[in-house]
């Protein structure tokens, strides 16, 4: 009985809903939008490279890239200096320990589940509207990779900057005096801080 | 008919088998819902959101739609490690491991919401480190506060916090709504979720 149910449901689960012959859920499989060519294998991702600007107490810029080969994954998170933001070219030193302006972390997850983060080297990334390309050169060389694909940008500002529109969905209030104000996404990139990112959104 | 958590491969970043969310999406049509391109199970494009415990459920707009047709009331808060940004559902923080020290400042992007009909206010909320992805109790708090969640709404915010005094090691980042269990909910198992991002505390 279970098998019959499974067979009966299979087309629905694979194809998703459909008003006509074309499945709307694209077979429930996200499309690859980023390809990472590593030293030993190629990784892909359904998630775009994200460039995230955060204008909290200490403004920062964050780039994150990740992909999977099926058995291994490669991921990079870096914090290029904010003053590089408008140049279109971002750099960071890949380090095994520490976060902050100008630094980045590379992580490889191996098939046995172990995680390797002990890389040192350099990341260079160029961004253009909706697109990104970059390279990471590391020691050990197993972390080396180049990548290209889709770029998304987001910009986060204190709740008070966006006002009532930012609290329609509720609020989080930190305990303690002097705790940093939570940030919310300026989805329209309408604030003065975030306006520069409009030129990097896909046309 | 059963939908196993193993169907959800979001955390493998491939979205190859969003079986459960597909079925819930189709049942949404059975109940009369059309597509809606937000933080909804009724999105036509994948991936659909996943809430705490790596499970899927109707989200505020989905639940509001069914109630508008059939009536009813319920109470439920949820936590999710995803965000709706740039028209897509994405991991709220990219699946990376960042190498930090005790005392390092990090930013964590969280989503919480209320898909019930009763607004909640000043409900306990925390972000914490723990040793496993499903270690929902105990752990080391990095952020504590209170949350206010109007009925049928959700919010995504980026919170700044400090790595607490923990032994060196690999940690998962989790967040929990209704920490004091003060709200009686129809689903108490979706209040805690782990981030796709991990931290390696090395000093």
């Amino acid at each position: 009985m279970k098998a019959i149910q499974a067979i009966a449901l299979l087309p629905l689960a694979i194809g998703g809903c459909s008003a006509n012959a074309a499945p709307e859920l694209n077979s429930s499989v996200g499309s690859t939008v980023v390809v990472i060519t590593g030293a030993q294998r190629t990784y892909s991702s359904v998630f775009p490279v994200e460039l995230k600007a955060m204008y909290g107490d200490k403004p920062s810029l964050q780039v994150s890239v990740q992909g999977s080969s099926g058995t291994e994954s490669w991921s990079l998170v870096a914090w290029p200096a904010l003053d590089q933001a408008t140049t279109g070219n971002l750099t960071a030193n890949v380090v095994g320990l520490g976060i902050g302006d100008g630094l980045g972390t590379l992580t490889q997850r191996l098939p046995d589940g172990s995680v390797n983060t002990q890389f040192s080297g350099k990341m260079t990334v160029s961004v253009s509207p909706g697109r990104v390309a970059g390279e990471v050169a590391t020691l050990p060389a197993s972390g080396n990779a180049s990548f290209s694909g889709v770029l998304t940008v987001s910009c986060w500002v204190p709740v008070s900057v966006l006002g009532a529109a930012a609290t329609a969905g509720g609020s989080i209030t930190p305990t303690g005096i002097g705790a940093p104000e939570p940030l919310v996404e300026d989805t329209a990139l309408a604030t003065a801080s975030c306006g520069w990112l409009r030129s990097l959104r896909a046309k | 008919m059963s939908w196993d958590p193993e169907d959800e491969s979001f955390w493998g970043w491939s979205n190859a088998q969003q079986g459960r969310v597909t079925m819930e999406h189709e049942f949404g049509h059975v109940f009369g819902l059309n597509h809606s391109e937000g933080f909804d199970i009724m999105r036509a494009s994948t991936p659909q959101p996943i809430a705490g415990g790596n499970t899927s459920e109707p989200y505020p707009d989905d639940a509001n739609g069914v109630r508008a047709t059939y009536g009813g009331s319920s109470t439920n808060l949820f936590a999710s490690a995803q965000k709706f940004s740039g028209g897509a559902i994405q991991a709220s923080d990219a699946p990376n491991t960042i190498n930090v020290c005790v005392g390092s400042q990090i930013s964590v992007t969280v989503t919480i919401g209320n898909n019930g009909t009763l607004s909640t206010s000043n409900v306990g909320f925390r972000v914490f480190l723990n040793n496993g992805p499903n270690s929902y109790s105990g752990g080391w708090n990095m952020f504590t506060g209170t949350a206010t969640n109007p009925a049928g709404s959700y919010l995504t915010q980026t919170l700044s916090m400090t790595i607490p005094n923990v032994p060196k090691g690999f940690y998962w980042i989790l967040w929990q709504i209704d920490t004091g269990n003060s709200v009686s909910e129809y689903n108490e198992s979706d209040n805690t979720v782990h981030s796709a991002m991990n931290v390696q505390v090395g000093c």
Side-chain angles (χ1 to χ4, degrees), chain A:
Chain A
M1 186 62 186
K2 220 170 187 178
I4 294 171
Q5 286 173 333
I7 291 167
L9 289 168
L10 196 59
L12 192 60
I14 292 175
C17 57
S18 176
N20 49 45
E24 292 168 302
L25 288 180
N26 191 25
S27 300
S28 293
V29 179
S31 304
T32 294
V33 295
V34 173
V35 174
I36 302 162
T37 305
Q40 288 153 351
R41 51 188 47 79
T42 299
Y43 309 89
S44 61
S45 178
V46 298
F47 298 108
V49 173
E50 184 176 18
L51 177 63
K52 184 176 184 180
M54 291 174 281
Y55 288 94
D57 288 353
K58 186 176 178 296
S60 64
L61 197 60
Q62 179 178 303
V63 177
S64 55
V65 191
Q66 63 279 322
S68 172
S69 69
T71 56
E72 294 185 21
S73 68
W74 183 100
S75 64
L76 171 77
V77 59
W79 297 267
L82 194 58
D83 59 13
Q84 294 181 338
T86 53
T87 67
N89 294 303
L90 310 173
T91 61
N93 291 321
V94 176
V95 294
L97 185 63
I99 60 176
D101 279 1
L103 302 180
T105 293
L106 175 62
T107 303
Q108 270 186 318
R109 281 178 199 267
L110 304 175
D112 64 2
S114 61
V115 175
N116 184 11
T117 60
Q118 293 309 301
F119 295 97
S120 60
K122 188 161 187 177
M123 172 207 84
T124 54
V125 172
S126 65
V127 292
S128 57
R131 302 292 301 175
V132 62
E135 208 170 270
V136 176
T138 66
L139 285 175
S142 56
N144 287 349
S146 60
F147 56 87
S148 63
V150 173
L151 173 75
T152 61
V153 298
S154 68
C155 187
W156 298 73
V157 297
V159 172
S160 57
V161 172
L162 287 185
T167 56
S171 61
I172 296 173
T173 305
T175 302
I177 298 166
E181 191 178 358
L183 306 181
V184 290
E185 186 177 1
D186 173 9
T187 54
L189 302 176
T191 58
S193 298
C194 299
W196 66 272
L197 279 163
R198 283 197 290 268
S199 65
L200 289 177
R201 281 228 164 127
K203 304 294 182 201

Side-chain angles (χ1 to χ4, degrees), chain A residues 9 16-17 24-25 28 46-47 50 52 66 75-77 96 98-99 105 107 109 156 169-171 173 175 182-183 185, chain B residues 1 10 13 15 22 25-26 35 44 83 85 94 96-99 105 109 144-148 153 155 157-158 198:
Chain A
L9 289 168
C17 57
E24 292 168 302
L25 288 180
S28 293
V46 298
F47 298 108
E50 184 176 18
K52 184 176 184 180
Q66 63 279 322
S75 64
L76 171 77
V77 59
I99 60 176
T105 293
T107 303
R109 281 178 199 267
W156 298 73
S171 61
T173 305
T175 302
L183 306 181
E185 186 177 1
Chain B
M1 181 160 53
F10 179 84
W13 315 334
N15 293 305
T22 300
H25 175 104
E26 303 309 336
H35 287 150
K83 63 182 178 183
S85 182
N96 292 294
T97 299
I98 55 174
N99 301 320
Q105 283 286 128
T109 299
T144 58
T146 58
T148 294
S153 70
L155 64 86
Q157 296 191 345
T158 296
N198 297 102

Side-chain angles (χ1 to χ4, degrees), chain B residues 36-52:
Chain B
S36 173
E37 288 299 314
F39 192 84
D40 309 317
I41 207 77
M42 295 311 297
R43 294 176 57 78
S45 52
T46 57
Q48 276 87 1
I50 297 173

Side-chain angles (χ1 to χ4, degrees), chain B residues 69-120:
Chain B
T69 307
Y70 301 100
S73 62
S74 59
T75 304
N76 192 56
L77 298 169
F78 67 88
S80 173
Q82 296 175 310
K83 63 182 178 183
F84 177 63
S85 182
I89 301 295
Q90 303 176 16
S92 59
D93 278 310
N96 292 294
T97 299
I98 55 174
N99 301 320
V100 297
C101 297
V102 170
S104 295
Q105 283 286 128
I106 65 167
S107 296
V108 178
T109 299
V110 304
T111 294
I112 54 174
N114 179 347
N115 55 18
T117 51
L118 177 70
S119 295
T120 59

